């Protein structure tokens, strides 16, 4: 029995009842198990959730669950009391009506809907008292390469989202209904299988503790299995796993044939090239909203410091911080020199997460409206946790301005908004990176800057077969013929129009810009299959001539199945949503629906639904129970993470507060769980008084429950990530690339300053030579002692060598050799 003598057993949730009274009810979600299989550079993830109704009434369970934003949700199954329930993919409105009708008929029903590309809503309707069910959601995902390793990311919680005043969309209403708690709804279990065609060197996670891999060889594959160390974990942060193998950099062509005879080709390769750097105007857009408080703000400030010190001497730059409002360091971007660098460092040191809500659209628009600087390429770097509801609008804004602005994004924190961060980078022809506690941030920042300093290689095309033409423009002219039998034009072309997409096409329709070390994946739905000894050719036009690579097709390229078809369809849907839906809504809607139904995909317009044929016997009314998402790891005690826009009455009925955690706080329980102290009815007495503040620019209210947060986060770790010697040296470099002869630099090198100066005087007694000598010594230290961190110091050394070559006395191999001897003898 779920109840005994009116006592609630197991994990409970705070619920709001009539007349503002609150009560405790059992959490219906009782287990989450994640099974992951990684094969080469794709992952299949199965998430099994078990629900049990431990109440006396039938309940409806509502759970918002995150997925990787580019993932293809390809299956949804349900099991009720040991019976398998048939589920189908249907148009969203039809699926929703079937679910609602079943609930009205007192039948148990299951519904899976997309809220945003990275958030899905699961509903279990009319689950009878004492009944239990299992549901399984399966999604497929491509895996990126980062620092030469395959990176697997599995989100586990949906962080609170800021909802701007201008966003009255249905998605915003859904997002506003997501509830949060400090505790995990359940403990999560995970099994990971990795299959690679080359030896697996290591499997490591900066976010979770893993068991040692259990390794074996199965035919031509190397296999390794891992689990969580300790078996279970909280659902408060993204699960991040790096797989080290030679596999990521190997180009691959795979051609899949399904049971219907259709064939899809997939191309994957990681380009390696180096072009001459160009002059840039770098604009750093830094999120200082309340959700960035704590560790996220520390990481953002560290990233900004690394960016600032790594800029080339001939660049211009500016910093813009934003929250409910935004402000710039300089009225216009300034030339990068020691004075502007000092101003920027002082400014960056003083920023904090105190600017209210995440109004990112306006500062982006402000940047794009600024006139371009002559001879400079504008590169925009966005540092954010991205926890907003209007991500699609921001992505569209970036796309419209991508011809003159490249956008690079750094998602910060344990549950950054992956749709916003990756979507803006895609639209802005840049790259996206994510960092969380436990991960070194410097290498990610330097890689972003390296990409930005390279000319944009966006003219990319692919030839799918030796005799095929190059494709990559994305738009094809189609002829629409009049078929209605009238005297006006029957059988003749009605018009010629530019159609933005076609089913028989490649995706992305316009290939993204390519970068050194970043994986490029493309798909082609083939009109006819390809043969052994055929080849696929990729061509990129650059300022230094064409770069081209041809990848042969061999007998191992051919497989049977439907996974690539589904990944192709998901990429096609993403392409349509981000590039064409604004201008061609009806056609986009039709195509997305068609792709979802044909390839069994949950999407914006298609959902999974299943209904139990049996009718429930309970005559009592059904109540809805929301499974609360756990707040992200290291939510700060001072963080104003709950914010909302006051809306017009129509929307305000649905969105009273962005984060329903406040409803739980403000409606403080008047029915305590068994054994608890009597509740306190006064909010001020319970929580020390909640503060409501109105921003200068809008009717944004920020509600801070700092006392409550302080109690809950007292045991969490905080503080700055430890700095390596390379990072510390980077922060000592002057804007022009030199290193002055100072004690703090000598201390990092592990040698006394006088010894450095004496060694320099033995070569050249000129007083001005001391800076030159210290700079050469630092270069020698980095190249000799920090070889494993080359990705971090490469730009530092390049800038130092450029200064040495442009200033006297001349920099040569003799001087560098002397510096290396000194380093090897003294450190």
């Amino acid at each position: 029995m779920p109840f005994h003598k009116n006592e609630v057993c197991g994990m409970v949730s705070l619920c709001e009842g009539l007349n503002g009274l609150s009560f405790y009810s059992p959490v219906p979600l009782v287990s989450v198990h994640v099974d992951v299989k990684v094969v080469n550079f794709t992952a299949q993830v199965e998430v099994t959730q078990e629900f049990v109704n431990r109440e006396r009434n039938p309940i409806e369970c509502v759970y918002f669950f995150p997925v990787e934003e580019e993932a293809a949700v390809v299956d949804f199954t349900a099991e009720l009391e040991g019976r398998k329930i048939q589920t189908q993919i249907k148009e969203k409105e039809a699926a929703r009506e079937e679910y609602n009708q079943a609930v009205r008929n007192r039948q148990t029903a299951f519904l899976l809907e997309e809220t945003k590309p990275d958030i899905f809503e699961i509903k279990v309707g009319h689950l009878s008292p004492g009944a239990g069910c299992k549901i399984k959601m399966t999604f497929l995902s491509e895996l990126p390469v980062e620092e030469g390793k395959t990176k697997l990311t599995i989100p586990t919680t949906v962080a609170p989202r800021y909802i701007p005043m201008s966003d009255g969309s249905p998605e915003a209403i859904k997002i506003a209904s997501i509830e949060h708690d400090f505790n995990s709804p359940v403990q999560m279990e995970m099994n990971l299988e990795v299959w690679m065609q080359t030896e697996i060197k290591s499997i490591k996670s900066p976010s979770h503790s893993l068991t040692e891999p259990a390794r074996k060889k199965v035919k031509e594959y190397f296999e390794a299995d891992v689990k969580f160390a300790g078996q279970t974990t909280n659902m408060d942060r993204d699960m991040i796993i790096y797989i080290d193998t030679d596999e990521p950099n190997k180009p691959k062509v795979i051609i899949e044939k399904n049971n219907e005879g259709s064939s899809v080709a997939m191309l994957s390769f990681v380009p390696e090239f180096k072009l001459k750097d160009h002059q840039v105007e770098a604009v750093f857009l830094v999120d200082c909203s309340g959700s960035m408080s704590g560790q996220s703000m520390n990481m953002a400030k560290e990233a900004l410091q690394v960016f600032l010190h790594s800029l080339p001497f001939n660049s211009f730059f500016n910093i813009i911080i934003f929250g409910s409002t935004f402000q710039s360091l300089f009225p216009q971007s300034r030339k990068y020199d020691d004075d502007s660098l000092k101003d920027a460092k002082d400014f960056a040191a003083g920023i904090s997460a105190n600017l209210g809500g995440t109004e990112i659209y306006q500062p982006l628009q402000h940047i794009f409206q600024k006139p371009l600087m002559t001879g400079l390429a504008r590169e925009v770097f966005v540092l954010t946790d991205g926890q907003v509801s209007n991500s699609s609008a921001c992505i569209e804004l970036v796309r419209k301005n991508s011809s003159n602005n490249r956008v690079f994004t750094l998602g910060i924190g344990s549950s950054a908004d992956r749709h916003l961060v990756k979507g803006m980078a895609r639209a802005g022809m840049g790259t996206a990176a994510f960092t969380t506690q436990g991960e070194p941030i410097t290498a990610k920042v330097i890689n972003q800057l390296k990409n930005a300093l390279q000319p944009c290689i966006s003219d990319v095309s692919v030839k799918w077969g030796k005799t095929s033409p190059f494709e990559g423009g994305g738009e094809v002219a189609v002829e629409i013929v009049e078929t209605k039998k009238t005297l006006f034009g029957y059988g003749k072309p009605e018009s010629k129009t530019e159609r933005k997409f076609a089913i028989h096409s490649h995706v992305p329709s316009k290939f993204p810009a390519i970068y050194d070390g970043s994986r490029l994946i493309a798909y082609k739905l083939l009109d006819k299959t390809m043969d052994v000894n055929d080849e696929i050719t990729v061509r990129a036009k650059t300022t230094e001539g064409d770069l081209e690579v041809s990848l042969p097709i061999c007998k191992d390229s051919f497989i049977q199945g439907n996974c690539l078809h589904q990944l192709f369809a998901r990429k096609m849907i993403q392409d349509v949503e981000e590039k064409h839906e604004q201008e061609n809504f009806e056609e986009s809607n039709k195509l997305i629906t068609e792709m979802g139904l044909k390839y069994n995909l949950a999407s914006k317009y298609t959902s999974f639904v299943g209904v139990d044929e049996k009718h429930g016997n309970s005559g009592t009314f059904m109540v809805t129970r929301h499974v609360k998402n756990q707040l992200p790891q290291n939510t700060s005690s001072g963080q104003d993470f709950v914010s909302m826009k006051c809306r017009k009455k129509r929307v305000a009925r649905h969105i009273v507060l962005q984060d329903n955690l406040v409803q739980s706080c403000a409606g403080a329980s008047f029915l305590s769980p068994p054994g608890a102290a009597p509740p306190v009815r006064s909010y001020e007495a319970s929580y020390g008084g909640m503060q409501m503040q109105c921003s200068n620019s809008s009717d944004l209210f920020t509600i801070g429950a700092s006392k409550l947060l302080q109690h809950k986060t007292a045991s969490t770790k905080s503080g700055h990530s430890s700095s390596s010697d390379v990072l510390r040296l980077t922060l000592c470099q002057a804007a022009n690339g030199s290193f002055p002869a100072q004690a703090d630099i000598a201390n990092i090198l592990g040698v006394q300053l006088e010894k450095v100066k004496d060694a320099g005087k033995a070569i050249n007694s000129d007083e001005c030579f001391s800076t030159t000598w210290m700079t050469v010594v630092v270069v020698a230290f980095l190249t000799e002692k920090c070889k494993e961190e080359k990705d971090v110091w490469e730009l530092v050394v390049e800038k130092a060598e450029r200064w040495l070559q442009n200033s006297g006395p001349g920099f040569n191999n003799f001087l560098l050799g002397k510096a290396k001897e000194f380093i090897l003898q003294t450190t």
Side-chain angles (χ1 to χ4, degrees), residues 431-557:
T431 56
F434 293 85
T435 187
T436 187
Q437 184 178 4
E439 286 189 284
I441 196 172
T442 309
K444 298 174 187 286
V445 171
I446 295 297
N447 188 62
Q448 292 279 72
L449 189 55
K450 283 180 185 175
N451 290 338
L453 295 177
Q454 295 279 290
C456 184
I457 306 177
S458 59
D459 191 352
V460 182
S461 56
V462 176
K463 185 165 69 170
W464 301 89
K466 292 179 180 178
T467 60
S468 301
F470 278 97
E471 300 177 81
E475 299 189 359
V476 293
V478 297
E479 193 172 68
I480 300 175
V481 177
E482 178 62 68
T483 56
K484 188 176 180 180
K485 293 187 176 181
T486 71
L487 293 175
F488 299 98
Y490 171 65
K492 290 188 176 182
E494 178 186 24
S495 63
K496 284 191 175 181
T497 184
E498 291 296 313
R499 183 171 177 173
K500 303 294 185 183
F501 38 80
I503 290 293
H504 288 277
S505 185
H506 58 269
V507 284
S509 57
K510 186 180 188 309
F511 291 107
I514 62 173
Y515 293 95
D516 177 44
S518 295
R519 188 193 302 281
L520 171 68
I521 295 181
Y523 301 87
K524 172 72 173 178
L525 184 61
L526 301 172
D527 294 322
K528 59 180 181 179
T529 190
M530 303 179 76
D531 300 319
V532 175
N533 298 324
D534 208 340
E535 65 183 21
I536 294 176
T537 302
V538 182
R539 177 188 294 167
K541 294 185 180 296
T542 79
T543 55
E544 300 178 29
D546 291 355
L547 301 178
E548 191 172 293
V549 61
S550 294
L551 307 177
I553 296 172
C554 61
K555 60 181 181 64
D556 294 332
S557 300

Side-chain angles (χ1 to χ4, degrees), residues 247-367:
E247 197 72 20
N249 296 315
K250 291 194 172 184
K252 286 187 179 295
V253 174
I254 301 176
I255 300 171
E256 178 188 78
K257 188 174 183 180
N258 66 12
N259 293 333
E260 298 177 0
S262 170
S263 293
V264 164
M266 181 177 73
L267 159 71
S268 168
F269 79 103
V270 180
E272 295 182 11
F273 59 89
K274 171 70 174 175
L275 301 177
K276 293 179 181 177
D277 291 349
H278 62 168
Q279 284 187 270
V280 301
E281 176 200 6
V283 181
F284 301 101
L285 182 60
V286 184
D287 188 347
C288 291
S289 64
S291 62
M292 286 286 290
S293 187
Q295 187 66 22
S296 294
M297 195 72 250
N298 290 337
M299 289 189 290
K301 291 169 77 170
E302 180 179 331
L304 183 58
Q305 291 282 5
V306 175
F307 270 127
L308 290 172
H309 278 276
S310 303
L311 283 173
F313 189 57
N314 58 357
S315 55
F316 284 69
F317 77 103
N318 203 352
I319 302 172
I320 298 175
I321 60 175
F322 73 93
S324 302
T325 58
F326 64 89
Q327 64 184 83
S328 302
L329 170 60
F330 307 122
Q332 304 290 338
S333 292
R334 271 182 54 181
K335 182 174 175 56
Y336 180 71
D337 55 29
D338 285 334
D339 291 335
S340 60
L341 175 59
K342 183 181 184 304
D343 290 342
K345 289 172 65 176
D346 292 343
F347 181 77
I351 65 176
S352 60
N354 61 352
L355 294 186
T358 314
E359 292 279 0
I360 190 172
Y361 189 95
Q362 286 78 14
L364 277 172
Q365 192 172 49
H366 170 77
I367 293 169

Side-chain angles (χ1 to χ4, degrees), residues 761-802:
K761 288 176 181 178
I763 301 171
N764 189 327
S765 59
D766 190 330
E767 187 64 30
C768 297
F769 182 70
S770 61
T771 298
T772 299
W773 174 243
M774 179 63 87
T775 303
V776 178
V777 169
V778 171
V779 169
F781 177 83
L782 292 173
T783 55
E784 290 298 309
K785 295 288 189 176
C786 307
K787 294 179 181 179
E788 293 184 356
E789 296 182 80
K790 183 180 178 181
D791 288 345
V792 177
W793 55 252
E794 192 171 8
L795 289 181
V796 175
V797 169
E798 284 183 10
K799 190 157 71 166
E801 290 178 342
R802 193 174 295 116

Side-chain angles (χ1 to χ4, degrees), residues 538-652:
V538 182
R539 177 188 294 167
K541 294 185 180 296
T542 79
T543 55
E544 300 178 29
D546 291 355
L547 301 178
E548 191 172 293
V549 61
S550 294
L551 307 177
I553 296 172
C554 61
K555 60 181 181 64
D556 294 332
S557 300
F558 297 89
I559 62 172
Q560 290 287 129
N562 203 44
C563 291
L564 292 193
H565 283 74
Q566 291 172 316
L567 286 170
F568 158 79
R570 174 67 187 97
K571 186 68 74 174
M572 172 71 81
I573 289 171
Q574 181 187 78
D575 208 58
V576 171
E577 288 176 342
E578 294 185 356
K579 297 178 182 177
H580 309 299
E581 193 170 20
Q582 292 283 329
E583 296 84 4
N584 301 273
F585 178 77
E586 290 186 6
E587 191 174 4
S588 298
N589 184 322
K590 182 178 179 181
L591 179 54
I592 292 171
T593 302
E594 181 181 343
M595 299 294 279
L597 295 175
K598 181 175 181 178
Y599 293 104
N600 210 58
L601 296 176
S603 71
K604 202 173 193 175
Y605 303 117
T606 53
S607 304
F608 284 98
V609 66
V611 176
D612 183 23
E613 294 181 355
K614 292 187 177 182
H615 290 253
N617 297 322
S618 175
T620 56
F621 63 90
M622 183 185 75
V623 293
T624 297
R625 298 289 181 243
H626 287 261
V627 177
K628 297 181 181 181
N629 275 256
Q630 186 174 9
L631 283 168
Q633 182 189 35
N634 289 327
T635 298
S636 170
S637 61
Q639 177 177 340
D640 292 329
F641 66 91
V642 185
S643 54
M644 62 156 283
K645 275 283 188 180
C646 294
R647 298 171 177 272
K648 295 185 178 180
K649 292 181 179 179
R650 179 181 63 82
V651 180

